[in-house]
Amino acid sequence: MAQPTFSTHVGMVDILPDEVRKWHKLEQIIHQEAKKFHFEEIRTPIMEQTELIARGVGEGTDIVSKEMFAFERGEDQYVLRPECTAPVARAFVEHHLEQRGGTQNLYYIGPMFRAEKPQKGRQRQFHQFGAEIIGADDPAADVDIIAFMMAIYDRVGISNTTLKINSVGEPESRKEYIEALKDYFRPHLDKLSSISQKRFENNPLRILDSKEEEDQSFIEDAPVITDFLTEETAEHYQRVKELLTELDISFEEDPHLVRGLDYYTRTAFELISPDLGSQDALGGGGRYDLLIEEIGGQHTPAVGFAAGMERLFIACQELDINLVEEEMLDVYIVTLGEEARKWGLEHLPKLRAAGLSASMDYIGRSIKSQMKDADRENARHVIIVGGNELAEGKFTLRNMKASEEDSYTFDKILDKLTTDIN
Ligand code: HAM
């Protein structure tokens, strides 16, 4: 009988060893920038109670209504987290993080899950890095979160991006705005796409997000939310723009920018790249001053962003940015005969203890294939050990790049190699 073959779930991918190095490099950049901006890492579980995500992200959103990986354990209902803002807010409330004093500047890196239709830049398991400033309502926090996000793209070398910003107001002004939007779209309803007709009923704001050709001219002339903001929110938005200008962060105002999650209030933003095709958002975020209250905490203003790591790598590929240098092995021990192998096994730990990466053949291959293996592993040096070398106490050290070799005692080799890496 044929053996079954197994594969990943559609839209979920293995990250194989050749790929992993660029992930490490990006993670390293994120950790380093986080340190500069004084953010602390937080790690939350991959599953959360369905109710938290439904309340946080919003029942009417695509994420909650169509894209959740949901399951039950006993009485409880869980989902694989589709994003990390609601989980971080939950952790903030659950562990009374406000008691640590000041604002909580938190960041995270990890997998998220949305059962969307996979396409370029859209997976069902994807990875985000993101950050949240919890406990500050000042526009300076909005701008610092944007600056942190931009600093990571700067370090990577992705600079041809557009930062779009908007203010989506508060529930009261948004309610008025939604009424105005409905009044505006109603007479044209039969000319809108079927998706937008549905959104007209469930979530009219999302019509503005439509990519359908037939909707575009109507969207262009639609009323804008910035005409409905309270005075205080309009001032907040103005200050965000001034601070961005002061920091030399260029931006474009997009009064039709709406986000696919319901918790936003006031500032909303997206970072767009021309290198991504139709899924053109590298990252996005905004202020969510009511979320923490909504999930059972005290009123606590907050702002954050999250960015897709796979999309960042797509942009790198388009821009020919190579995040990783070639991985080198410091030293490979080539052995001839049983005694030499034993010597090799005894000396590998000494090389590693000195901070060198070191490897050898474990399966008794010929010298020729061991040399090939050393080449394949990108070894900088090879130590060649045979009967004569053992008798003499001196071993051949070959510099693979320079194709030069000489004989030394092991201590001398160790000395030479460690000077090399320091
Ligand atoms: P979001 O806009 O839903 O926001 O996602 C942020 C980023 O995650 C997107 O811009 C995109 O790069 C990436 N992303 C989203 N879905 C997928 C997918 N299916 N495949 C690949 N990449 C994807 C949030 O998640 C909010 N939590 C951001 C935030 C943080 N707001 C405040 N704090």
Side-chain angles (χ1 to χ4, degrees):
M1 207 169 72
Q3 288 292 319
T5 52
F6 300 106
S7 59
T8 57
H9 177 67
V10 59
M12 298 194 179
V13 301
D14 296 313
I15 302 170
L16 299 173
D18 283 347
E19 292 265 301
V20 157
R21 282 186 286 136
K22 72 180 183 203
W23 287 82
H24 285 172
K25 181 67 194 178
L26 176 57
E27 287 160 13
Q28 188 191 32
I29 290 175
I30 296 163
H31 291 308
Q32 286 169 348
E33 290 306 311
K35 205 165 177 187
K36 285 193 211 158
F37 279 78
H38 205 53
F39 278 70
E40 294 174 284
E41 188 179 357
I42 182 164
R43 300 183 185 191
T44 63
I46 276 166
M47 60 188 238
E48 291 284 349
Q49 285 172 295
T50 307
E51 178 68 13
L52 169 78
I53 303 297
R55 274 196 190 209
V57 176
E59 301 272 4
T61 60
D62 286 352
I63 296 179
V64 171
S65 63
K66 303 196 281 215
E67 299 168 359
M68 306 254 260
F69 283 100
F71 54 97
E72 286 179 1
R73 289 288 299 170
E75 303 273 280
D76 299 316
Q77 296 188 324
Y78 293 96
V79 291
L80 298 181
R81 62 181 187 194
E83 60 103 54
C84 213
T85 306
V88 168
R90 181 213 27 85
F92 175 87
V93 175
E94 186 173 343
H95 304 289
H96 304 285
L97 293 186
E98 73 284 353
Q99 289 176 2
R100 302 169 83 221
T103 61
Q104 302 305 309
N105 292 16
L106 306 169
Y107 77 102
Y108 47 84
I109 302 175
M112 310 293 156
F113 304 84
R114 297 182 192 175
E116 297 188 77
K117 197 165 166 218
Q119 64 178 83
K120 184 179 170 200
R122 195 155 85 185
Q123 295 180 187
R124 290 187 161 191
Q125 177 176 338
F126 59 99
H127 296 76
Q128 284 184 343
F129 60 90
E132 317 289 344
I133 299 180
I134 305 181
D137 61 6
D138 198 279
D142 310 34
V143 172
D144 209 28
I145 211 83
I146 292 175
F148 178 25
M149 175 178 81
M150 301 302 287
I152 292 168
Y153 290 97
D154 262 6
R155 274 284 303 279
V156 171
I158 298 175
S159 55
N160 61 338
T161 54
T162 307
L163 176 68
K164 291 194 170 174
I165 64 166
N166 192 17
S167 178
V168 296
E170 280 114 5
E172 273 313 299
S173 44
R174 204 153 49 228
K175 218 163 148 191
E176 253 184 74
Y177 174 59
I178 288 173
E179 279 316 308
L181 260 190
K182 284 181 111 170
D183 290 344
Y184 166 80
F185 281 123
R186 196 171 288 112
H188 311 296
L189 210 50
D190 55 337
K191 294 182 218 85
L192 293 181
S193 67
S194 58
I195 303 176
S196 291
Q197 289 182 17
K198 252 196 220 127
R199 286 180 173 168
F200 183 85
E201 298 304 333
N202 308 331
N203 197 347
L205 272 181
R206 291 295 309 282
I207 299 178
L208 302 174
D209 235 6
S210 162
K211 300 234 158 51
E212 305 299 313
E213 193 55 48
E214 62 264 48
D215 297 337
Q216 297 313 313
S217 62
F218 297 108
I219 291 173
E220 234 163 72
D221 297 330
V224 292
I225 187 149
T226 33
D227 289 340
F228 292 77
L229 302 179
T230 61
E231 201 176 315
E232 217 183 314
T233 294
E235 255 170 45
H236 183 103
Y237 186 38
Q238 183 58 28
R239 191 71 193 125
V240 168
K241 289 185 279 184
E242 285 166 8
L243 284 171
L244 284 172
T245 310
E246 275 170 35
L247 288 186
D248 259 345
I249 299 178
S250 45
F251 60 88
E252 249 177 41
E253 279 186 78
D254 179 354
H256 286 148
L257 174 71
V258 286
R259 307 257 310 123
L261 306 99
D262 279 354
Y263 47 61
Y264 291 108
T265 49
R266 298 191 163 181
T267 314
F269 58 86
E270 254 169 26
L271 188 66
I272 305 296
S273 159
D275 299 309
L276 292 180
S278 67
Q279 300 304 310
D280 63 355
L282 281 168
R287 187 161 271 291
Y288 50 95
D289 291 343
L290 305 175
L291 173 64
I292 291 181
E293 227 171 326
E294 178 66 34
I295 61 167
Q298 302 285 330
H299 176 74
T300 313
V303 60
F305 83 90
M309 295 169 81
E310 286 83 0
R311 291 191 191 176
L312 181 148
F313 291 131
I314 294 175
C316 283
Q317 204 174 8
E318 296 295 324
L319 296 168
D320 258 338
I321 295 171
N322 192 0
L323 269 187
V324 282
E325 294 131 34
E326 218 180 349
E327 184 103 325
M328 302 287 282
L329 178 70
D330 291 320
V331 55
Y332 187 104
I333 307 179
V334 169
T335 61
L336 178 65
E338 210 31 57
E339 278 305 303
R341 253 162 67 102
K342 201 164 150 246
W343 185 95
L345 288 171
E346 282 165 9
H347 286 75
L348 265 186
K350 297 183 184 168
L351 293 162
R352 290 171 179 160
L356 298 157
S357 54
S359 170
M360 66 178 280
D361 169 66
Y362 303 113
I363 51 177
R365 280 178 283 196
S366 70
I367 292 227
K368 200 169 154 204
S369 13
Q370 289 185 50
M371 288 304 284
K372 260 199 192 153
D373 203 33
D375 234 10
R376 195 183 53 81
E377 291 195 25
N378 250 335
R380 287 195 174 88
H381 296 94
V382 161
I383 303 176
I384 302 168
V385 189
N388 290 345
E389 282 83 357
L390 284 173
E392 250 182 76
K394 278 188 164 182
F395 309 90
T396 305
L397 178 68
R398 183 174 176 80
N399 181 322
M400 298 291 274
K401 239 205 192 116
S403 293
E404 287 167 4
E405 55 183 50
D406 217 331
S407 282
Y408 307 95
T409 62
F410 178 71
D411 285 347
K412 183 75 189 158
I413 289 178
L414 201 56
D415 200 39
K416 277 178 89 62
L417 295 182
T418 44
T419 324
D420 242 31
I421 58 163
N422 291 323

